[in-house]
Amino acid sequence: MFATVIDEKPPVTTGEVADPAKSSSTVLERIESLVDFYAANGAENERLGRLTDEVADRVKWTGVARMLQPKRYGGMEAHPVEFMEAVLATGTADAATGWVAGVVGVHPHELAQADDRLQQELWAENPDTWIASPYAPMGIATPVEGGYRFTGHWKFSSGTDHCQWVMIGGFVANPDGSPNRGDVRHFCLPRKDYEIVQDSWDVLGLRGTGSKDLIVNDVFVPDYRVIGQEEINAGTAAKALGLDNPLYAIPRSVMFSGAVATATLAIAQGALASAIAFAAHRVGMSGQKAAGDPYQLSTIGHAAAEIESAVTQMKTDFSRVYDLAATGQVVGLDERLRVARNQASSTHRALAAVDDLFLHAGGGSLHLHQPLQRFWRDMHAGMNHIVNVAEPKYRAWSLDHYGVEGPLGVKV
């Protein structure tokens, strides 16, 4: 797609970001130059319960978090498949690093459709500003003159220690103070306005993501830092704002769930690579190398096919939705449900493959110094994300397919 030669080295000093990437191919080349570094730091990310500062610096250097950012603020406005490939390459080396790259990297897609005053605050002086989430509406916003008074407690803010802002979900309050559950918005706050609960991320898998709790206590949020969800979720906000790149006409739900699903598939790819490497050296009790065991070979071959199929399905869906948006058509509910169904199916197919790999790897894979067991734990942790819970997506698609009216039970 592009011919780009990378001459500069990744930053060595914490906080230094050299020569941001200008194209998607540059991003991918930089990631590929760092895969050994990411892999070598996976255990330390897990020990710290967050990415190391050096890892976060290098993720920033690759430019993955700028791929969906507006060009006028130093971004690339890349094709979603290019973003997906960058997340896959990162997460195959280390699950936590890929997860943070995917989740933090997808936020500019929504923020590009926010009030320009907010975008200027975020990126005018520093295009490498990172914004955390979560979107779950765990706060209540009371309307006041010029904005809202906002309070809440959120869990699962991935990569939050390395972010300077947060975009979090909340209900607008009714006049009696109760949450209006039909009015969910996203509220953007600078780092000084929220607390990170540092001891709140003690988990089985994806420990290195540092997905800690956040607390907001009666903070004023001006109205231009508040993003309504209906038009962004429908993919109609971009046209009204004059954004002509089809990227921004893709519904937010498709992009965000796709980023999480992609990060999950990256873990599966990492598990496959680890299983292949482990089998190359493992010798069974019979004295036969695992790489020569027909059952081991069959397991690896089948897992490789399943994971590759899952990735192909995701790329196909992203391309189809992008092409649909490029024609000027609105990505309708039926298509959004189809994509959600396929994303969930893809991650579950990959999960089954990872489980099969781990169960056939032998007792030696249980040792904590073996990357395979960490990928296996990270995979199961990633599957607990609501995006990867399959049954509501399957049900919603079927209800829509049969023309059944009423609540679908899933946000799309």
Side-chain angles (χ1 to χ4, degrees):
M1 192 177 300
F2 300 94
T4 306
V5 178
I6 302 174
D7 296 318
E8 69 274 16
K9 301 292 184 182
V12 176
T13 305
T14 299
E16 177 187 354
V17 180
D19 281 337
K22 298 298 193 300
S23 73
S24 300
S25 64
T26 309
V27 173
L28 194 56
E29 289 176 30
R30 289 182 176 189
I31 292 169
E32 290 170 349
S33 76
L34 290 170
V35 292
D36 290 342
F37 173 81
Y38 287 155
N41 279 271
E44 182 63 8
N45 293 336
E46 182 168 72
R47 188 190 70 79
L48 287 177
R50 62 169 175 82
L51 300 187
T52 71
D53 294 341
E54 293 76 15
V55 168
D57 284 345
R58 283 158 174 77
V59 173
K60 228 169 236 192
W61 174 76
T62 66
V64 62
R66 289 201 195 187
M67 294 185 76
L68 305 181
Q69 198 161 304
K71 288 182 178 179
R72 68 184 185 278
Y73 289 116
M76 300 172 212
E77 299 186 13
H79 192 289
V81 171
E82 295 173 338
F83 175 67
M84 181 183 180
E85 289 171 342
V87 174
L88 285 168
T90 304
T92 300
D94 176 58
T97 306
W99 190 273
V100 172
V103 172
V104 172
V106 78
H107 292 153
H109 176 264
E110 176 176 348
L111 290 163
Q113 303 171 66
D115 191 301
D116 196 57
R117 289 173 291 178
L118 173 60
Q119 295 184 57
Q120 289 182 35
E121 285 184 328
L122 294 173
W123 296 314
E125 293 187 6
N126 180 15
D128 284 305
T129 297
W130 278 12
I131 302 95
S133 43
Y135 293 147
M138 303 306 293
I140 297 181
T142 303
V144 296
E145 183 177 357
Y148 301 84
R149 303 299 305 186
F150 195 41
T151 296
H153 186 153
W154 292 258
K155 295 182 179 296
F156 309 114
S157 183
S158 296
T160 199
D161 286 302
H162 297 290
C163 294
Q164 296 78 49
W165 284 70
V166 70
M167 176 169 53
I168 45 182
F171 296 110
V172 174
N174 291 313
D176 65 359
S178 62
N180 178 356
R181 299 192 179 275
D183 191 353
V184 177
R185 306 187 194 185
H186 290 169
F187 298 79
C188 299
L189 287 72
R191 181 66 187 83
K192 65 181 179 60
D193 285 347
Y194 58 93
E195 173 193 351
I196 299 173
V197 183
Q198 289 296 339
D199 61 353
S200 58
W201 189 239
D202 186 16
V203 290
L204 172 72
L206 289 176
R207 293 177 63 90
T209 64
S211 303
K212 300 171 183 177
D213 289 16
L214 304 178
I215 295 175
V216 175
N217 187 19
D218 192 31
V219 167
F220 174 71
V221 184
D223 52 13
Y224 72 86
R225 291 183 185 165
V226 180
I227 306 172
Q229 292 302 293
E230 185 174 351
E231 292 183 346
I232 287 177
N233 275 330
T236 58
K239 184 176 181 180
L241 294 169
L243 298 173
D244 57 5
N245 190 323
L247 170 69
Y248 300 121
I250 298 175
R252 181 197 68 80
S253 56
V254 171
M255 286 301 303
F256 178 74
S257 60
V260 172
T262 297
T264 307
L265 294 182
I267 303 173
Q269 288 190 161
L272 174 64
S274 296
I276 290 172
F278 185 63
H281 303 289
R282 184 170 72 89
V283 177
M285 294 184 65
S286 66
Q288 182 182 33
K289 284 190 174 182
D293 182 336
Y295 301 108
Q296 184 76 70
L297 294 174
S298 176
T299 298
I300 290 173
H302 182 250
E306 289 293 276
I307 294 167
E308 184 176 327
S309 295
V311 170
T312 300
Q313 175 74 76
M314 288 274 293
K315 288 183 177 181
T316 299
D317 280 353
F318 268 135
S319 292
R320 186 181 64 255
V321 171
Y322 182 91
D323 291 346
L324 182 64
T327 68
Q329 299 180 62
V330 173
V331 180
L333 178 62
D334 58 341
E335 185 64 32
R336 285 145 56 193
L337 289 169
R338 177 186 179 187
V339 172
R341 177 202 69 187
N342 291 349
Q343 287 174 348
S345 176
S346 294
T347 56
H348 277 260
R349 178 186 295 182
L351 171 68
V354 171
D355 279 347
D356 209 24
L357 288 168
F358 188 64
L359 289 172
H360 286 82
S365 65
L366 296 172
H367 289 284
L368 291 178
H369 67 270
Q370 292 292 348
L372 179 56
Q373 55 78 29
R374 188 169 67 249
F375 277 111
W376 181 78
R377 287 186 290 109
D378 290 343
M379 185 72 186
H380 278 266
M383 292 302 295
N384 276 331
H385 194 288
I386 191 170
V387 161
N388 290 325
V389 178
E391 290 78 7
K393 281 80 171 176
Y394 298 157
R395 174 179 177 269
W397 179 87
S398 297
L399 287 172
D400 182 70
H401 182 73
Y402 284 112
V404 178
E405 296 183 359
L408 296 172
V410 59
K411 294 289 186 184
V412 291

